[in-house]
Structure formats: structure tokens, C-alpha cells
Amino acid sequence: MNAAERALSVFRCPPHRYNCAQAVCAAFGCDDLLEPMQSCGGGRAPEGTCGALYGAIQVAPELEAQLREAFAAANGATTCRQLKGEGRVPCEVCVRTACELLEKLRA
């Protein structure tokens, strides 16, 4: 199972019902980030950043610029408001994209 599959298996699913940021962190084994990421889903990450993207940045802060650029290229935006409003990019797509980009950039 790859990171995207791991993240999607816990995203909004019982028993944990992780939000997008938590799901990305969990997929990469960053359990220490699960509690701090509780309040970062649903457009509540700093500066309105997509929670999935924000979770990926917390896993690998040294890759923030590359993650933001690649995420914007893939999805058309980096904020939850833009993703849900203009582009209507589903949260599941954001979670998958964040995980795939993080895996690729860490390789």
C-alpha cells in the first residue's frame, strides 16, 4: 500500500476519522503530528492552506516551496477556499496529490 492509499484509508473513516492534514501525516508515520493537525482540516490550516498540503509540509518542512509549487500546478491552487470554490477539487484528490508529491520529492 502506498502513502496515498494509506492516507485515504484513514481519511474520514472509522475509527479515527482523520481530517486531510492528519491523514497525510498518518500515511507517513508521523503520529506526533496527529494531535497538532486536528485543527488544520477544512480550510483551517494557517493562511487557509489546503490541509492535505499543510500536512505534507509538516512532514517535510524542508520541501515546502517545492510542495506548494507542485501542488498548485497539479490542482490549480493551494488554499482550501480556491480548491473548493473555483476548481471544486475534492478533498480526496488533495490528499492523494499531497501524498504522491511528498513521496516523489523525498525519493
Side-chain angles (χ1 to χ4, degrees):
M1 185 180 294
N2 66 29
E5 292 167 340
R6 286 192 303 272
L8 291 170
S9 74
V10 296
F11 177 57
R12 297 182 178 161
C13 295
H16 303 295
R17 299 188 188 277
Y18 288 147
N19 66 32
C20 49
Q22 290 175 302
V24 171
C25 293
F28 288 91
C30 296
D31 294 345
D32 59 317
L33 294 173
L34 295 177
E35 187 177 332
M37 294 296 105
Q38 269 185 307
S39 62
C40 294
R44 294 174 294 163
E47 301 173 13
T49 299
C50 166
L53 172 59
Y54 188 71
I57 291 168
Q58 298 312 298
V59 170
E62 71 281 4
L63 298 173
E64 180 174 0
Q66 297 98 312
L67 284 165
R68 284 187 184 278
E69 183 178 332
F71 191 90
N75 293 325
T78 60
T79 67
C80 192
R81 179 179 290 241
Q82 290 172 318
L83 291 161
K84 302 301 165 253
E86 297 168 13
R88 298 210 182 268
V89 179
C91 295
E92 291 79 6
V93 170
C94 293
V95 169
R96 177 174 297 283
T97 301
C99 287
E100 289 173 351
L101 291 173
L102 187 51
E103 278 187 319
K104 180 181 174 184
L105 291 169
R106 287 178 115 189

